[in-house]
Coordinates of all heavy atoms in Angstrom, one line a residue:
M1 N -26.8 -9.7 -15.9 CA -25.8 -10.5 -15.1 C -24.7 -10.8 -16.1 O -24.9 -11.2 -17.2 CB -26.4 -11.8 -14.6 CG -25.4 -12.7 -14.0 SD -26.2 -14.2 -13.5 CE -25.8 -14.2 -11.8
T2 N -23.4 -10.5 -15.6 CA -22.2 -10.8 -16.3 C -21.6 -12.1 -15.8 O -21.4 -12.2 -14.6 CB -21.2 -9.6 -16.2 OG1 -21.9 -8.5 -16.7 CG2 -20.0 -9.9 -17.0
I3 N -21.2 -12.9 -16.7 CA -20.5 -14.2 -16.3 C -19.0 -14.0 -16.7 O -18.7 -13.6 -17.8 CB -21.1 -15.4 -17.0 CG1 -22.6 -15.6 -16.6 CG2 -20.3 -16.6 -16.7 CD1 -23.3 -16.7 -17.4
T4 N -18.2 -14.2 -15.7 CA -16.7 -14.1 -16.0 C -16.2 -15.5 -15.9 O -16.3 -16.2 -14.9 CB -16.1 -13.2 -14.9 OG1 -16.7 -11.9 -15.0 CG2 -14.6 -13.1 -15.2
W5 N -15.5 -15.9 -16.9 CA -14.9 -17.3 -17.0 C -13.5 -17.1 -16.5 O -12.7 -16.3 -16.9 CB -14.9 -17.8 -18.4 CG -16.3 -18.0 -18.9 CD1 -16.9 -17.2 -19.8 CD2 -17.2 -19.1 -18.5 NE1 -18.2 -17.7 -20.0 CE2 -18.4 -18.9 -19.3 CE3 -17.1 -20.2 -17.7 CZ2 -19.5 -19.7 -19.1 CZ3 -18.2 -21.0 -17.6 CH2 -19.4 -20.8 -18.3
I6 N -13.1 -17.9 -15.5 CA -11.8 -17.9 -14.9 C -11.0 -19.1 -15.5 O -11.5 -20.3 -15.3 CB -11.9 -18.0 -13.4 CG1 -12.6 -16.7 -12.9 CG2 -10.5 -18.1 -12.8 CD1 -12.8 -16.7 -11.4
T7 N -10.0 -18.8 -16.1 CA -9.1 -19.9 -16.7 C -8.0 -20.2 -15.7 O -7.8 -19.5 -14.7 CB -8.5 -19.4 -18.0 OG1 -7.6 -18.3 -17.7 CG2 -9.5 -19.0 -19.0
E8 N -7.3 -21.3 -16.0 CA -6.2 -21.7 -15.1 C -5.1 -20.6 -15.2 O -4.4 -20.4 -14.2 CB -5.6 -23.1 -15.6 CG -4.6 -23.6 -14.7 CD -5.0 -23.9 -13.3 OE1 -6.2 -24.2 -13.1 OE2 -4.2 -23.7 -12.4
E9 N -4.9 -20.0 -16.3 CA -4.0 -18.9 -16.4 C -4.3 -17.7 -15.5 O -3.4 -17.1 -14.9 CB -3.9 -18.4 -17.9 CG -2.8 -17.4 -18.2 CD -2.8 -17.0 -19.6 OE1 -2.7 -17.9 -20.5 OE2 -2.8 -15.8 -19.9
D10 N -5.6 -17.4 -15.4 CA -6.1 -16.4 -14.5 C -5.8 -16.7 -13.1 O -5.3 -15.9 -12.3 CB -7.6 -16.1 -14.7 CG -8.0 -15.5 -16.0 OD1 -7.1 -14.9 -16.7 OD2 -9.1 -15.8 -16.4
R11 N -6.0 -18.0 -12.7 CA -5.7 -18.4 -11.4 C -4.2 -18.3 -11.0 O -3.9 -17.9 -10.0 CB -6.2 -19.9 -11.2 CG -7.7 -20.0 -11.0 CD -8.1 -21.5 -10.7 NE -9.5 -21.6 -10.7 CZ -10.2 -22.1 -11.7 NH1 -9.6 -22.4 -12.8 NH2 -11.5 -22.2 -11.6
Q12 N -3.4 -18.7 -12.0 CA -2.0 -18.7 -11.8 C -1.5 -17.2 -11.6 O -0.7 -16.9 -10.7 CB -1.2 -19.4 -12.9 CG -1.4 -20.8 -12.9 CD -0.7 -21.5 -14.1 OE1 -0.3 -20.8 -15.1 NE2 -0.7 -22.8 -14.2
R13 N -2.0 -16.3 -12.4 CA -1.6 -14.9 -12.3 C -2.1 -14.3 -11.0 O -1.4 -13.6 -10.4 CB -2.2 -14.1 -13.5 CG -1.8 -12.7 -13.5 CD -0.3 -12.5 -13.6 NE 0.0 -11.1 -13.4 CZ 1.0 -10.7 -12.7 NH1 1.9 -11.5 -12.2 NH2 1.2 -9.4 -12.5
A14 N -3.3 -14.7 -10.6 CA -3.8 -14.2 -9.3 C -2.9 -14.7 -8.2 O -2.6 -13.9 -7.2 CB -5.2 -14.6 -9.1
T15 N -2.5 -15.9 -8.2 CA -1.6 -16.5 -7.2 C -0.2 -15.7 -7.2 O 0.3 -15.4 -6.2 CB -1.3 -18.0 -7.5 OG1 -2.6 -18.6 -7.4 CG2 -0.4 -18.6 -6.5
E16 N 0.3 -15.4 -8.4 CA 1.5 -14.7 -8.5 C 1.4 -13.3 -7.9 O 2.3 -12.8 -7.1 CB 2.0 -14.5 -9.9 CG 2.5 -15.8 -10.6 CD 2.7 -15.7 -12.1 OE1 2.9 -14.5 -12.5 OE2 2.8 -16.7 -12.7
V17 N 0.3 -12.6 -8.2 CA 0.1 -11.3 -7.6 C 0.0 -11.3 -6.1 O 0.5 -10.5 -5.4 CB -1.2 -10.7 -8.3 CG1 -1.6 -9.4 -7.5 CG2 -1.0 -10.4 -9.7
R18 N -0.8 -12.3 -5.6 CA -0.9 -12.4 -4.1 C 0.5 -12.6 -3.5 O 0.8 -12.0 -2.5 CB -1.8 -13.5 -3.7 CG -3.3 -13.2 -3.8 CD -4.2 -14.2 -3.2 NE -4.1 -15.5 -3.8 CZ -4.8 -15.9 -4.9 NH1 -5.7 -15.0 -5.4 NH2 -4.7 -17.1 -5.4
R19 N 1.3 -13.5 -4.1 CA 2.7 -13.8 -3.6 C 3.5 -12.5 -3.6 O 4.2 -12.2 -2.7 CB 3.3 -14.9 -4.4 CG 4.7 -15.3 -3.9 CD 5.4 -16.3 -4.8 NE 5.5 -15.9 -6.2 CZ 6.3 -15.0 -6.8 NH1 7.1 -14.4 -6.0 NH2 6.2 -14.8 -8.1
E20 N 3.5 -11.8 -4.7 CA 4.3 -10.6 -4.9 C 3.8 -9.5 -3.8 O 4.7 -8.9 -3.2 CB 4.1 -10.0 -6.3 CG 4.8 -10.8 -7.3 CD 4.4 -10.4 -8.8 OE1 3.7 -9.4 -8.9 OE2 4.9 -11.0 -9.7
R21 N 2.6 -9.4 -3.6 CA 2.1 -8.4 -2.6 C 2.5 -8.9 -1.2 O 2.9 -8.0 -0.4 CB 0.6 -8.3 -2.6 CG 0.1 -7.6 -3.8 CD -1.4 -7.4 -3.8 NE -1.9 -6.7 -5.0 CZ -3.2 -6.7 -5.4 NH1 -4.1 -7.4 -4.7 NH2 -3.5 -6.1 -6.5
F22 N 2.4 -10.2 -0.9 CA 2.8 -10.7 0.4 C 4.3 -10.4 0.6 O 4.7 -9.9 1.7 CB 2.5 -12.2 0.5 CG 3.0 -12.8 1.8 CD1 2.3 -12.6 3.0 CD2 4.2 -13.5 1.8 CE1 2.8 -13.1 4.2 CE2 4.7 -14.0 3.0 CZ 3.9 -13.8 4.2
E23 N 5.1 -10.7 -0.4 CA 6.6 -10.5 -0.3 C 6.9 -9.0 -0.1 O 7.8 -8.7 0.7 CB 7.3 -11.0 -1.5 CG 7.4 -12.5 -1.6 CD 8.2 -13.0 -2.8 OE1 8.4 -12.2 -3.7 OE2 8.6 -14.2 -2.8
R24 N 6.2 -8.2 -0.8 CA 6.5 -6.7 -0.7 C 6.1 -6.2 0.7 O 6.8 -5.5 1.3 CB 5.7 -5.9 -1.8 CG 6.1 -4.5 -1.7 CD 5.6 -3.7 -2.9 NE 6.2 -2.4 -3.0 CZ 5.9 -1.4 -2.3 NH1 4.9 -1.5 -1.4 NH2 6.5 -0.2 -2.5
N25 N 5.0 -6.7 1.2 CA 4.6 -6.3 2.6 C 5.6 -6.8 3.6 O 5.9 -6.1 4.5 CB 3.2 -6.8 2.9 CG 2.1 -6.1 2.1 OD1 2.3 -5.0 1.7 ND2 0.9 -6.7 2.0
E26 N 6.0 -8.0 3.4 CA 7.0 -8.6 4.3 C 8.3 -7.8 4.3 O 8.9 -7.5 5.3 CB 7.2 -10.1 4.0 CG 8.1 -10.8 5.0 CD 8.3 -12.3 4.7 OE1 7.7 -12.8 3.7 OE2 9.0 -12.9 5.4
L27 N 8.7 -7.5 3.1 CA 9.9 -6.7 2.9 C 9.8 -5.3 3.6 O 10.7 -4.9 4.3 CB 10.2 -6.5 1.4 CG 11.3 -5.4 1.0 CD1 12.6 -6.0 1.4 CD2 11.2 -5.1 -0.4
M28 N 8.7 -4.7 3.4 CA 8.6 -3.3 4.0 C 8.5 -3.4 5.5 O 9.1 -2.6 6.2 CB 7.3 -2.6 3.5 CG 7.4 -2.3 2.0 SD 8.9 -1.3 1.6 CE 8.6 0.2 2.5
T29 N 7.9 -4.5 6.0 CA 7.9 -4.7 7.5 C 9.3 -4.9 8.0 O 9.7 -4.3 9.0 CB 6.9 -5.9 7.8 OG1 5.6 -5.6 7.4 CG2 6.9 -6.1 9.3
L30 N 10.0 -5.8 7.4 CA 11.4 -6.0 7.8 C 12.3 -4.8 7.7 O 13.1 -4.5 8.6 CB 12.0 -7.2 7.0 CG 11.5 -8.6 7.3 CD1 12.0 -9.6 6.3 CD2 11.9 -9.0 8.7
F31 N 12.1 -4.1 6.6 CA 12.9 -2.8 6.4 C 12.6 -1.8 7.5 O 13.5 -1.2 8.1 CB 12.6 -2.3 5.0 CG 13.5 -1.1 4.7 CD1 14.8 -1.1 4.7 CD2 12.8 0.1 4.3 CE1 15.6 0.0 4.4 CE2 13.6 1.2 4.0 CZ 15.0 1.2 4.0
C32 N 11.3 -1.6 7.8 CA 10.9 -0.7 8.9 C 11.5 -1.1 10.2 O 12.0 -0.3 11.0 CB 9.4 -0.6 8.9 SG 8.7 0.3 7.5
R33 N 11.4 -2.4 10.5 CA 11.9 -2.9 11.8 C 13.4 -2.7 11.9 O 14.0 -2.4 12.9 CB 11.6 -4.4 12.0 CG 10.2 -4.7 12.3 CD 9.9 -6.1 12.5 NE 8.5 -6.3 12.8 CZ 7.9 -7.5 12.7 NH1 8.6 -8.6 12.3 NH2 6.6 -7.6 13.0
W34 N 14.1 -2.9 10.7 CA 15.6 -2.7 10.7 C 15.9 -1.2 11.0 O 16.8 -0.9 11.7 CB 16.1 -3.1 9.3 CG 17.6 -2.9 9.1 CD1 18.6 -3.7 9.5 CD2 18.2 -1.8 8.5 NE1 19.8 -3.2 9.2 CE2 19.6 -2.0 8.5 CE3 17.7 -0.6 7.9 CZ2 20.5 -1.1 8.0 CZ3 18.6 0.2 7.3 CH2 20.0 0.0 7.4
L35 N 15.1 -0.3 10.3 CA 15.3 1.1 10.6 C 15.1 1.5 12.0 O 15.8 2.2 12.7 CB 14.4 2.0 9.7 CG 14.8 2.1 8.2 CD1 13.8 2.9 7.4 CD2 16.2 2.8 8.1
L36 N 14.0 0.9 12.6 CA 13.7 1.2 14.0 C 14.8 0.7 14.9 O 15.1 1.4 15.9 CB 12.3 0.6 14.4 CG 11.1 1.3 13.9 CD1 9.8 0.4 14.1 CD2 10.9 2.6 14.5
A37 N 15.3 -0.4 14.7 CA 16.3 -1.0 15.5 C 17.6 -0.2 15.5 O 18.3 -0.1 16.5 CB 16.7 -2.4 15.1
R38 N 17.8 0.5 14.4 CA 19.0 1.3 14.3 C 18.8 2.8 14.6 O 19.8 3.6 14.6 CB 19.6 1.2 12.9 CG 20.4 -0.1 12.8 CD 20.3 -0.8 11.4 NE 20.9 -2.1 11.4 CZ 20.3 -3.2 11.9 NH1 19.1 -3.1 12.4 NH2 20.9 -4.3 11.8
A39 N 17.6 3.2 14.9 CA 17.3 4.6 15.1 C 17.8 5.0 16.5 O 18.2 6.2 16.7 CB 15.8 4.8 15.1
G40 N 17.9 4.1 17.5 CA 18.5 4.4 18.8 C 17.6 5.3 19.7 O 18.0 5.8 20.6
H41 N 16.3 5.3 19.4 CA 15.4 6.1 20.2 C 14.0 5.5 20.0 O 13.7 4.7 19.1 CB 15.4 7.6 19.9 CG 15.2 7.9 18.5 ND1 13.9 8.0 18.0 CD2 16.0 8.2 17.4 CE1 14.0 8.3 16.7 NE2 15.2 8.4 16.3
D42 N 13.0 6.0 20.8 CA 11.6 5.6 20.7 C 10.7 6.5 19.9 O 9.5 6.3 19.9 CB 11.1 5.4 22.1 CG 11.7 4.3 22.9 OD1 12.2 3.3 22.2 OD2 11.8 4.3 24.1
G43 N 11.3 7.5 19.3 CA 10.5 8.5 18.5 C 10.2 8.0 17.2 O 10.5 6.9 16.8
P44 N 9.5 8.8 16.4 CA 9.1 8.4 15.0 C 10.3 8.3 14.1 O 11.4 9.0 14.3 CB 8.2 9.6 14.6 CG 8.5 10.7 15.5 CD 9.0 10.1 16.8
V45 N 10.2 7.4 13.2 CA 11.3 7.2 12.2 C 10.7 7.4 10.8 O 9.7 6.9 10.5 CB 11.9 5.7 12.3 CG1 12.9 5.4 11.2 CG2 12.5 5.5 13.7
T46 N 11.4 8.1 10.0 CA 11.0 8.4 8.6 C 11.5 7.3 7.8 O 12.7 7.0 7.7 CB 11.5 9.7 8.1 OG1 11.0 10.7 9.0 CG2 11.0 10.0 6.7
V47 N 10.7 6.6 7.0 CA 11.1 5.5 6.1 C 11.1 6.1 4.7 O 10.1 6.6 4.2 CB 10.1 4.3 6.2 CG1 10.5 3.2 5.2 CG2 9.9 3.8 7.6
P48 N 12.3 6.0 4.1 CA 12.5 6.6 2.8 C 11.7 5.7 1.8 O 11.5 4.5 2.0 CB 14.0 6.5 2.5 CG 14.5 5.5 3.4 CD 13.6 5.5 4.6
E49 N 11.3 6.3 0.7 CA 10.7 5.6 -0.4 C 11.8 4.8 -1.1 O 12.9 5.3 -1.4 CB 10.0 6.5 -1.4 CG 9.2 5.8 -2.4 CD 8.4 6.7 -3.3 OE1 8.1 7.8 -2.8 OE2 8.0 6.3 -4.4
L50 N 11.5 3.5 -1.4 CA 12.5 2.7 -2.0 C 12.4 2.8 -3.5 O 11.3 2.8 -4.1 CB 12.3 1.2 -1.6 CG 12.4 0.9 -0.2 CD1 12.1 -0.6 0.0 CD2 13.8 1.2 0.3
T51 N 13.5 2.9 -4.2 CA 13.5 2.9 -5.7 C 13.2 1.4 -6.1 O 13.4 0.5 -5.3 CB 14.9 3.2 -6.2 OG1 15.9 2.3 -5.8 CG2 15.4 4.6 -5.7
P52 N 12.7 1.3 -7.3 CA 12.4 -0.1 -7.8 C 13.7 -1.0 -7.7 O 13.6 -2.2 -7.4 CB 12.0 0.1 -9.2 CG 11.4 1.5 -9.2 CD 12.3 2.3 -8.3
E53 N 14.9 -0.4 -8.0 CA 16.1 -1.2 -8.0 C 16.4 -1.7 -6.5 O 16.8 -2.9 -6.3 CB 17.3 -0.4 -8.5 CG 17.2 -0.1 -10.0 CD 16.3 1.2 -10.2 OE1 16.0 1.9 -9.3 OE2 15.9 1.3 -11.4
T54 N 16.3 -0.8 -5.6 CA 16.5 -1.1 -4.2 C 15.5 -2.2 -3.7 O 15.9 -3.1 -3.0 CB 16.5 0.1 -3.3 OG1 17.4 1.1 -3.8 CG2 16.7 -0.2 -1.8
E55 N 14.3 -2.0 -4.1 CA 13.2 -2.9 -3.7 C 13.5 -4.3 -4.2 O 13.4 -5.3 -3.5 CB 11.9 -2.4 -4.1 CG 10.7 -3.3 -3.6 CD 9.4 -2.7 -3.9 OE1 9.2 -1.5 -3.8 OE2 8.5 -3.5 -4.3
A56 N 13.9 -4.4 -5.5 CA 14.2 -5.7 -6.1 C 15.4 -6.3 -5.4 O 15.4 -7.5 -5.2 CB 14.5 -5.4 -7.6
R57 N 16.4 -5.5 -5.1 CA 17.6 -6.1 -4.4 C 17.2 -6.6 -3.0 O 17.6 -7.7 -2.6 CB 18.7 -5.1 -4.3 CG 19.8 -5.5 -3.4 CD 21.2 -5.2 -4.1 NE 22.3 -5.5 -3.3 CZ 22.8 -6.7 -3.0 NH1 22.3 -7.8 -3.5 NH2 23.8 -6.8 -2.2
L58 N 16.4 -5.9 -2.3 CA 16.0 -6.3 -0.9 C 15.1 -7.6 -1.0 O 15.2 -8.5 -0.2 CB 15.3 -5.2 -0.2 CG 16.2 -4.0 0.2 CD1 15.3 -2.9 0.8 CD2 17.2 -4.5 1.2
L59 N 14.2 -7.6 -2.0 CA 13.4 -8.8 -2.2 C 14.3 -10.0 -2.5 O 14.0 -11.1 -2.0 CB 12.4 -8.6 -3.3 CG 11.1 -7.8 -2.9 CD1 10.3 -7.5 -4.2 CD2 10.3 -8.6 -1.9
S60 N 15.3 -9.8 -3.3 CA 16.2 -10.9 -3.6 C 16.9 -11.4 -2.4 O 17.0 -12.6 -2.2 CB 17.2 -10.4 -4.7 OG 18.2 -11.4 -4.9
L61 N 17.3 -10.5 -1.5 CA 18.0 -10.9 -0.3 C 17.0 -11.6 0.6 O 17.3 -12.6 1.3 CB 18.5 -9.7 0.5 CG 19.7 -9.1 -0.2 CD1 20.1 -7.8 0.5 CD2 20.9 -10.0 -0.2
L62 N 15.7 -11.1 0.7 CA 14.7 -11.8 1.5 C 14.4 -13.2 1.0 O 14.3 -14.1 1.8 CB 13.4 -10.9 1.4 CG 12.2 -11.4 2.2 CD1 12.5 -11.4 3.7 CD2 11.0 -10.5 1.9
R63 N 14.3 -13.4 -0.3 CA 14.1 -14.7 -0.8 C 15.2 -15.7 -0.5 O 14.9 -16.9 -0.4 CB 13.9 -14.6 -2.3 CG 12.6 -14.0 -2.7 CD 12.4 -13.9 -4.2 NE 11.2 -13.2 -4.5 CZ 11.1 -12.3 -5.5 NH1 12.1 -11.9 -6.2 NH2 9.9 -11.7 -5.7
R64 N 16.4 -15.2 -0.4 CA 17.5 -16.0 0.0 C 17.7 -16.2 1.5 O 18.5 -16.9 1.9 CB 18.8 -15.4 -0.6 CG 19.0 -15.6 -2.1 CD 20.3 -15.2 -2.5 NE 20.3 -13.7 -2.6 CZ 21.4 -13.0 -2.8 NH1 22.5 -13.6 -3.1 NH2 21.3 -11.7 -2.8
G65 N 16.8 -15.6 2.2 CA 16.8 -15.8 3.7 C 17.7 -14.9 4.4 O 18.0 -15.1 5.6
R66 N 18.2 -13.8 3.8 CA 19.1 -12.8 4.4 C 18.5 -11.4 4.3 O 19.0 -10.6 3.5 CB 20.5 -12.9 3.8 CG 21.1 -14.2 4.0 CD 22.5 -14.2 3.4 NE 22.8 -13.0 2.5 CZ 23.6 -13.1 1.5 NH1 24.3 -14.2 1.2 NH2 23.9 -12.0 0.7
P67 N 17.5 -11.1 5.1 CA 16.9 -9.8 5.0 C 17.8 -8.6 5.5 O 18.7 -8.8 6.2 CB 15.7 -9.8 6.0 CG 15.9 -11.0 6.9 CD 16.9 -11.9 6.2

């Protein structure tokens, strides 16, 4: 049996990771909805892969409340 000790630092990092994942999922959902709204049809829409710079900029806008 292995015992893993969880420190306060581990808890804080885990919380940060969960927040980052949630924000990224929220960002991708909003971005996809934005693309669908502008597609002008009911067919499939191709979502481009975001560069790290674009993703960071969109996350910044999302955090300020302007997706």
Side-chain angles (χ1 to χ4, degrees):
M1 172 185 239
T2 303
I3 298 174
T4 303
W5 297 102
I6 298 176
T7 65
E8 187 60 35
E9 185 178 310
D10 293 335
R11 285 186 185 96
Q12 289 174 353
R13 181 63 189 139
T15 300
E16 289 173 18
V17 168
R18 281 191 298 273
R19 181 185 51 78
E20 290 170 3
R21 286 182 182 163
F22 176 80
E23 284 181 345
R24 187 169 192 283
N25 288 340
E26 186 176 1
L27 168 70
M28 292 307 295
T29 300
L30 287 171
F31 183 58
C32 292
R33 286 182 182 163
W34 179 83
L35 284 175
L36 285 170
R38 280 142 189 83
H41 57 81
D42 292 332
V45 174
T46 302
V47 178
E49 187 172 336
L50 299 177
T51 64
E53 295 82 15
T54 302
E55 187 175 318
R57 173 131 171 80
L58 290 172
L59 279 172
S60 172
L61 291 172
L62 180 64
R63 287 179 184 137
R64 287 188 282 175
R66 296 184 344 209

